[in-house]
Amino acid sequence: MRAGRRRTALLAVVALTAGLLITAPQQASAGPPNLITNPGFESAGLADMPACWEKSGWGDNDFTFETVADAHSGSKAMKVSLSRRVDGDRKALITEDAVCAPLVKPESQYDLSLWYKSTTPDTAVTLFRHDVTGGWQYWTDLKTLPMSAGYERVEVRTPAVPPGTDRITWGVSVYGTGSVTTDDYVMEEVTVPAPDPVCTGTPEECAKGRWDVLPVQNPVRSMHSVVLHNGKVLVIAGSGNDEALFEAGTFTSAVYDPATGNFRTIPTPVDMFCAGHVQLQDGKVLVMSGNKGYPSADGTIGYQGLKDSYIFDPATETYTKTNDMNGGHWYPSATILGNGDVISFGGLKEDSTGNVTAEKFSAAQNKWLPMNEVNQTWSYWGLYPSMILMQDGRLFYSGSHVFGNGTQGSGASIYDYTANTITDVPGLQNKDQRDESASVLLPPAQDQRVLTIGGGNNETNPAANRLTDIIDLKDPNPVYAHGPLLPQGQVDQGQGKRPQTGAEGKMFVSAVLLPDGKVFETGGGLHDRADPVYEASFFDPVTNTYEEGLATDPIPRTYHSSAFLLPDGRVMAVGDNPGNGTYNHNVSIYTPPYLLKGARPEITSVIDGQWTYGDTQRITVDRPIAKAELIRPAAVTHSSDPNQRFLDLPMTVDGNNIDLNVTSNPNMAPPGWYMLFAVDANGVPSVAEWVHLGGPAAMAADAPSAHVHDFADAPSKAPKKALKKRSSAPVSPVIAGCDRHYGTAGVCVPTVFPREVRATTAARCGWLTAHEYGRLKVNGKDDPLRLDPNRDGVACGKGDVAR
């Protein structure tokens, strides 16, 4: 029985019912009005359903809807049964019309309650909402109901009603064999008090936030940033894009401790420069591949990928080797799945060709699986392809990647590992100018919407664009829609800052999910590895708009930079590695406006830090809060963190005691450590508490089913079958966008100069001088960019520019 093995925190504080739910007091007669018509099914309706109730559901299952006499009160109750189930669910819902569906107000919240008994643990309170322009649509699941032989009362609070919503409907979904009987539904409007905001900074800081540059410097040329579940930050450099360090075998990482403000350098076994990484379910960090070799001086061979893989342990701050991958993957993807496995695609092999092999790390076996045990489409997904886990276990390739011209097709697609098919998804704007863009699963993860921001083209090097695209994966036929243009800021092209104009945007932008539910975007450059842009904004997923004009990081943050959320609600930014081979070691911290609005709510206790799927977990807070959520800690590089996600935790509120309801679907929040935030009605978050979601109990054979919905189930494009088996995909050795005839591997003279630079020696050398490239050696006899007309072996020397 599911309820018998749940690790529910309520046991520590209160006597529980057999279903592990508190039996709440019945509604007081003087309380708010019940907004539901026919809440106890007493009034008969058309056909065989009570008035204002309808049958709903989907999938392959055998089911019955019955009005039964086994009522909690009155003479009738509703029983929904599944006798056979392959997929889908069934539910009795309030009828979706203007007569029966309760009216709601945007930004308001509502307490929903009902009495139930159940013979299956596979049930959930499910909401739909009516959008005044888009009609009825799924909203969210709120709570999993444990099995109960007798009637129990359950209550849960909705999130704030989104703009444009005028009515909602709800009921109990049954998605496993068994039955649920429900009665006496109640829906009441509630008001969450908002503290009076008190500005604790300057007026400008309270509106725009504040950046502080720390006195300590990052001791390594880090390319990768991982927030550990002990609150520290792992930054990985490897050779740090420095060929001399590579030749010397000098590979570095460091751990930053926000509590002390200090870095500790960590011995690093191989060159993890441009590796992949992901948080495993136990909180350790899997680091895969890296750099086996730099490009040759003449450019005939490019970067080469390692097969090596390591696990970093935050407790000991050491790396331990795993078995090798099946091939090298310089710039691989890394996505954790709902069962804790990790899947990886793309990157460059040991010979600099494109790797077409999917790799899978087994959580159960703690190793990379042999190639013949992993489904293969033999597709080349590019470098750092953004592969985001969907709620049904499929992967959404958003179209974000680093270097190259995207993938064949529409630029975005859905990959079904089980069926081993790829289905193109249309609508992504300028798909071949989305190199170095960023993609995030928007808050909350339950909404299944993805935002893709900016980008350019590494090979043709145009000015970065302002494009954003949003896709709703709940749509049967998901299509990218145009989002709002990225706000503009100040750009420095070597002659001082100037305002951006026209269509100028950013590439290598950082996008960070914040506990108030917004996306903070910061950093980036106008061209590949050059021309930093000083701009920051908030994207609001509720309104699909940007709040522009925030405080900007005073440190340039372009190539090899990253920004990420700290457990205290601030954002940390590190790195900058422009094409001239320099590196910025300054560390910046952004304090968002929500931390300058007065006192923060406090989570005063977390009864149990070990959570399983479908749990109800109790916390206490020091004052009223409006919402709570889990945010997965960052593991980011090159604008890419496909595992970043924000999971809404529907609440049941009893004063300062808050029961948090965890999704039953591991695909919605893969197992691992999460930051738990409580947020008040002004959007002010608490300091995070760390909780662990998943564990052996959640993965056990008798675990309940995940409540999966029929989203993205009717794409207009036909699925593409696997390609013929092949060893690799051809990739140009200049895929990194650098002309290796000049300088060193760490110095990136662009293959194509920005469009405004004339194709003359003087103009090109002037651009290189303005960007501080210094003295450049010509490698070999060829001079394709005409930087050494006097052929003395030095590019852009005095004799060259004078000609």
Side-chain angles (χ1 to χ4, degrees), residues 758-776:
R758 296 176 60 200
T760 65
T761 299
R764 287 170 171 168
C765 289
W767 188 91
L768 292 169
T769 299
H771 288 79
E772 301 178 346
Y773 272 71
R775 186 181 178 90
L776 294 170

mmCIF file of all heavy atoms in Angstrom, residues 758-776:
data_model
loop_
_atom_site.group_PDB
_atom_site.id
_atom_site.type_symbol
_atom_site.label_atom_id
_atom_site.label_comp_id
_atom_site.label_asym_id
_atom_site.label_seq_id
_atom_site.Cartn_x
_atom_site.Cartn_y
_atom_site.Cartn_z
ATOM 1 N N ARG A 758 35.268 46.322 -42.699
ATOM 2 C CA ARG A 758 35.571 46.184 -44.135
ATOM 3 C C ARG A 758 36.605 45.095 -44.356
ATOM 4 O O ARG A 758 37.445 44.822 -43.501
ATOM 5 C CB ARG A 758 36.067 47.514 -44.697
ATOM 6 C CG ARG A 758 35.031 48.635 -44.653
ATOM 7 C CD ARG A 758 35.648 49.936 -45.140
ATOM 8 N NE ARG A 758 36.143 49.818 -46.516
ATOM 9 C CZ ARG A 758 37.043 50.639 -47.065
ATOM 10 N NH1 ARG A 758 37.576 51.626 -46.334
ATOM 11 N NH2 ARG A 758 37.429 50.472 -48.325
ATOM 12 N N ALA A 759 36.558 44.472 -45.535
ATOM 13 C CA ALA A 759 37.444 43.352 -45.851
ATOM 14 C C ALA A 759 38.800 43.854 -46.325
ATOM 15 O O ALA A 759 39.284 43.498 -47.409
ATOM 16 C CB ALA A 759 36.795 42.450 -46.880
ATOM 17 N N THR A 760 39.430 44.717 -45.513
ATOM 18 C CA THR A 760 40.772 45.224 -45.818
ATOM 19 C C THR A 760 41.697 44.895 -44.662
ATOM 20 O O THR A 760 41.261 44.687 -43.528
ATOM 21 C CB THR A 760 40.757 46.745 -46.036
ATOM 22 O OG1 THR A 760 40.388 47.389 -44.805
ATOM 23 C CG2 THR A 760 39.758 47.133 -47.125
ATOM 24 N N THR A 761 42.981 44.886 -44.950
ATOM 25 C CA THR A 761 43.954 44.613 -43.892
ATOM 26 C C THR A 761 43.855 45.662 -42.796
ATOM 27 O O THR A 761 43.852 45.344 -41.600
ATOM 28 C CB THR A 761 45.376 44.593 -44.480
ATOM 29 O OG1 THR A 761 45.465 43.567 -45.462
ATOM 30 C CG2 THR A 761 46.409 44.350 -43.393
ATOM 31 N N ALA A 762 43.746 46.926 -43.165
ATOM 32 C CA ALA A 762 43.716 47.994 -42.171
ATOM 33 C C ALA A 762 42.484 47.880 -41.272
ATOM 34 O O ALA A 762 42.583 48.033 -40.049
ATOM 35 C CB ALA A 762 43.733 49.353 -42.869
ATOM 36 N N ALA A 763 41.325 47.607 -41.879
ATOM 37 C CA ALA A 763 40.099 47.530 -41.079
ATOM 38 C C ALA A 763 40.128 46.321 -40.154
ATOM 39 O O ALA A 763 39.761 46.407 -38.974
ATOM 40 C CB ALA A 763 38.887 47.480 -41.994
ATOM 41 N N ARG A 764 40.569 45.186 -40.662
ATOM 42 C CA ARG A 764 40.623 43.993 -39.836
ATOM 43 C C ARG A 764 41.652 44.133 -38.719
ATOM 44 O O ARG A 764 41.393 43.761 -37.566
ATOM 45 C CB ARG A 764 40.937 42.771 -40.706
ATOM 46 C CG ARG A 764 39.762 42.345 -41.578
ATOM 47 C CD ARG A 764 40.171 41.302 -42.609
ATOM 48 N NE ARG A 764 38.995 40.757 -43.293
ATOM 49 C CZ ARG A 764 39.052 40.007 -44.383
ATOM 50 N NH1 ARG A 764 40.242 39.712 -44.923
ATOM 51 N NH2 ARG A 764 37.951 39.545 -44.931
ATOM 52 N N CYS A 765 42.798 44.661 -39.047
ATOM 53 C CA CYS A 765 43.815 44.857 -38.009
ATOM 54 C C CYS A 765 43.375 45.910 -36.997
ATOM 55 O O CYS A 765 43.684 45.802 -35.806
ATOM 56 C CB CYS A 765 45.151 45.243 -38.660
ATOM 57 S SG CYS A 765 45.957 43.890 -39.545
ATOM 58 N N GLY A 766 42.636 46.912 -37.448
ATOM 59 C CA GLY A 766 42.098 47.906 -36.516
ATOM 60 C C GLY A 766 41.122 47.279 -35.532
ATOM 61 O O GLY A 766 41.123 47.592 -34.338
ATOM 62 N N TRP A 767 40.279 46.363 -36.039
ATOM 63 C CA TRP A 767 39.333 45.666 -35.157
ATOM 64 C C TRP A 767 40.080 44.810 -34.151
ATOM 65 O O TRP A 767 39.756 44.802 -32.956
ATOM 66 C CB TRP A 767 38.393 44.813 -35.993
ATOM 67 C CG TRP A 767 37.257 44.190 -35.228
ATOM 68 C CD1 TRP A 767 36.019 44.724 -35.026
ATOM 69 C CD2 TRP A 767 37.263 42.918 -34.564
ATOM 70 N NE1 TRP A 767 35.240 43.870 -34.280
ATOM 71 C CE2 TRP A 767 35.985 42.753 -33.971
ATOM 72 C CE3 TRP A 767 38.208 41.913 -34.414
ATOM 73 C CZ2 TRP A 767 35.638 41.619 -33.249
ATOM 74 C CZ3 TRP A 767 37.870 40.780 -33.685
ATOM 75 C CH2 TRP A 767 36.602 40.633 -33.105
ATOM 76 N N LEU A 768 41.110 44.091 -34.598
ATOM 77 C CA LEU A 768 41.881 43.237 -33.698
ATOM 78 C C LEU A 768 42.615 44.068 -32.655
ATOM 79 O O LEU A 768 42.699 43.688 -31.480
ATOM 80 C CB LEU A 768 42.871 42.382 -34.499
ATOM 81 C CG LEU A 768 42.234 41.317 -35.396
ATOM 82 C CD1 LEU A 768 43.277 40.716 -36.340
ATOM 83 C CD2 LEU A 768 41.591 40.220 -34.569
ATOM 84 N N THR A 769 43.105 45.224 -33.047
ATOM 85 C CA THR A 769 43.785 46.103 -32.093
ATOM 86 C C THR A 769 42.804 46.638 -31.059
ATOM 87 O O THR A 769 43.091 46.655 -29.856
ATOM 88 C CB THR A 769 44.459 47.260 -32.828
ATOM 89 O OG1 THR A 769 45.434 46.742 -33.738
ATOM 90 C CG2 THR A 769 45.149 48.209 -31.843
ATOM 91 N N ALA A 770 41.628 47.065 -31.519
ATOM 92 C CA ALA A 770 40.625 47.595 -30.583
ATOM 93 C C ALA A 770 40.184 46.547 -29.583
ATOM 94 O O ALA A 770 39.800 46.873 -28.453
ATOM 95 C CB ALA A 770 39.418 48.122 -31.368
ATOM 96 N N HIS A 771 40.254 45.276 -29.963
ATOM 97 C CA HIS A 771 39.853 44.197 -29.073
ATOM 98 C C HIS A 771 41.041 43.530 -28.386
ATOM 99 O O HIS A 771 40.923 42.434 -27.855
ATOM 100 C CB HIS A 771 39.030 43.160 -29.855
ATOM 101 C CG HIS A 771 37.666 43.651 -30.220
ATOM 102 N ND1 HIS A 771 37.438 44.490 -31.277
ATOM 103 C CD2 HIS A 771 36.448 43.432 -29.649
ATOM 104 C CE1 HIS A 771 36.148 44.766 -31.363
ATOM 105 N NE2 HIS A 771 35.513 44.135 -30.385
ATOM 106 N N GLU A 772 42.183 44.206 -28.430
ATOM 107 C CA GLU A 772 43.357 43.847 -27.631
ATOM 108 C C GLU A 772 43.878 42.453 -27.941
ATOM 109 O O GLU A 772 44.194 41.665 -27.045
ATOM 110 C CB GLU A 772 43.043 43.977 -26.132
ATOM 111 C CG GLU A 772 42.616 45.375 -25.732
ATOM 112 C CD GLU A 772 42.262 45.491 -24.250
ATOM 113 O OE1 GLU A 772 42.088 44.447 -23.594
ATOM 114 O OE2 GLU A 772 42.176 46.619 -23.764
ATOM 115 N N TYR A 773 44.008 42.155 -29.233
ATOM 116 C CA TYR A 773 44.536 40.844 -29.613
ATOM 117 C C TYR A 773 46.054 40.761 -29.490
ATOM 118 O O TYR A 773 46.611 39.674 -29.399
ATOM 119 C CB TYR A 773 44.112 40.500 -31.049
ATOM 120 C CG TYR A 773 42.777 39.807 -31.101
ATOM 121 C CD1 TYR A 773 41.600 40.490 -30.832
ATOM 122 C CD2 TYR A 773 42.688 38.460 -31.411
ATOM 123 C CE1 TYR A 773 40.377 39.847 -30.867
ATOM 124 C CE2 TYR A 773 41.469 37.802 -31.453
ATOM 125 C CZ TYR A 773 40.315 38.509 -31.179
ATOM 126 O OH TYR A 773 39.100 37.866 -31.206
ATOM 127 N N GLY A 774 46.719 41.890 -29.496
ATOM 128 C CA GLY A 774 48.169 41.859 -29.328
ATOM 129 C C GLY A 774 48.895 41.302 -30.544
ATOM 130 O O GLY A 774 48.375 41.241 -31.655
ATOM 131 N N ARG A 775 50.131 40.855 -30.334
ATOM 132 C CA ARG A 775 50.986 40.353 -31.404
ATOM 133 C C ARG A 775 50.526 38.943 -31.796
ATOM 134 O O ARG A 775 50.423 38.050 -30.959
ATOM 135 C CB ARG A 775 52.433 40.328 -30.924
ATOM 136 C CG ARG A 775 53.458 39.952 -31.984
ATOM 137 C CD ARG A 775 54.854 39.954 -31.345
ATOM 138 N NE ARG A 775 55.894 39.547 -32.300
ATOM 139 C CZ ARG A 775 56.541 40.406 -33.083
ATOM 140 N NH1 ARG A 775 56.247 41.694 -33.032
ATOM 141 N NH2 ARG A 775 57.483 39.977 -33.907
ATOM 142 N N LEU A 776 50.273 38.742 -33.100
ATOM 143 C CA LEU A 776 49.753 37.471 -33.586
ATOM 144 C C LEU A 776 50.756 36.818 -34.531
ATOM 145 O O LEU A 776 51.176 37.413 -35.533
ATOM 146 C CB LEU A 776 48.429 37.682 -34.329
ATOM 147 C CG LEU A 776 47.238 38.165 -33.494
ATOM 148 C CD1 LEU A 776 46.085 38.547 -34.404
ATOM 149 C CD2 LEU A 776 46.808 37.084 -32.523
#
